Amino acid sequence: MTLISILIIISAYLLGSISSAILICKILDIPDPRYFGSKNPGATNIFRIAGYKIAILVILFDVLKGAIPIWLGYYLEISSNSLGITAIFSCLGHMYPIFFKFYGGKGVATAFGALTTINVNLSIIMISTWLLTVLSFGYSSLGAVISALIVPCYTWYFQPQYSLPTIIISSLVLIKHIVNIKRLWNHQEKRIWRN
């Protein structure tokens, strides 16, 4: 692994560690998402606290956190193995940010940003899977879980060299959703919109 690859991987983690949800809420004088709602600094909780416009802004920044390091890696022509590790570290930064005592979001948007940059077809299928699930059942967490379960299959079909990093990222997303999975199983999970 080259020095450039190592620097990009470190930068991916540090960029991922910048919590857009917390910073945007602070700038706009919105309650800190770590202390309200689900207490998760992610777009779904922001949607419930501050509405869809702020949630979209958070999603956009979180997607870019995953995409920018991959774009940079492509530009600097690092290896596919290094690109895969970069994607993993972007997500680790978002989930376990060094700037926020390692308490972060669940990594869905950042994972999407990283993986979508690898293949456009993959991004279309990921969005479709998430949207179809959420619109059908109303649970953002269920959309994330189902997407995480099947995205490695999509990756294997479109970009097989990234299968292992995708499996790792999907596993991290599922681990961060364990509480949601339990609530879904017990019919206690809140829908993204009220009934």
Side-chain angles (χ1 to χ4, degrees):
M1 187 178 292
T2 65
L3 177 60
I4 290 175
S5 298
I6 293 169
L7 290 174
I8 290 173
I9 290 166
I10 293 170
S11 299
Y13 174 77
L14 294 175
L15 181 60
S17 290
I18 300 172
S19 177
S20 56
I22 295 170
L23 293 178
I24 288 170
C25 285
K26 190 167 187 175
I27 291 167
L28 299 178
D29 200 25
I30 296 167
D32 190 320
R34 294 172 294 180
Y35 304 106
F36 292 89
S38 67
K39 298 186 168 112
N40 178 60
T44 302
N45 197 31
I46 295 296
F47 173 73
R48 294 188 181 114
I49 294 170
Y52 75 92
K53 290 181 181 178
I54 307 301
I56 289 172
L57 193 58
V58 169
I59 289 171
L60 177 62
F61 277 99
D62 285 350
V63 168
L64 286 174
K65 287 195 307 186
I68 289 171
I70 302 297
W71 285 332
L72 182 61
Y74 272 129
Y75 179 75
L76 296 175
E77 299 181 342
I78 65 175
S79 68
S80 58
N81 286 340
S82 295
L83 280 173
I85 295 170
T86 300
I88 292 168
F89 271 77
S90 292
C91 296
L92 284 171
H94 179 82
M95 294 173 179
Y96 306 101
I98 194 170
F99 304 129
F100 296 95
K101 300 179 180 178
F102 301 100
Y103 181 75
K106 295 180 180 176
V108 177
T110 303
F112 174 78
L115 296 175
T116 224
T117 310
I118 289 170
N119 187 284
V120 175
N121 292 322
L122 182 61
S123 68
I124 294 169
I125 294 173
M126 287 168 65
I127 290 173
S128 301
T129 301
W130 186 85
L131 269 177
L132 184 60
T133 306
V134 173
L135 292 175
S136 298
F137 300 100
Y139 298 107
S140 175
S141 57
L142 183 62
V145 167
I146 290 176
S147 297
L149 286 171
I150 61 178
V151 75
C153 300
Y154 298 151
T155 307
W156 178 79
Y157 180 79
F158 289 112
Q159 296 283 102
Q161 68 269 34
Y162 296 111
S163 294
L164 181 57
T166 303
I167 290 169
I168 293 171
I169 291 169
S170 293
S171 298
L172 289 168
V173 170
L174 290 171
I175 289 167
K176 292 290 278 187
H177 279 83
I178 286 174
V179 173
N180 302 87
I181 292 168
K182 289 179 180 176
R183 284 201 298 257
L184 285 164
W185 183 260
N186 294 318
H187 306 287
Q188 295 172 341
E189 182 77 330
K190 292 181 180 178
R191 285 185 166 86
I192 199 168
W193 52 77
R194 292 178 182 174
N195 294 328

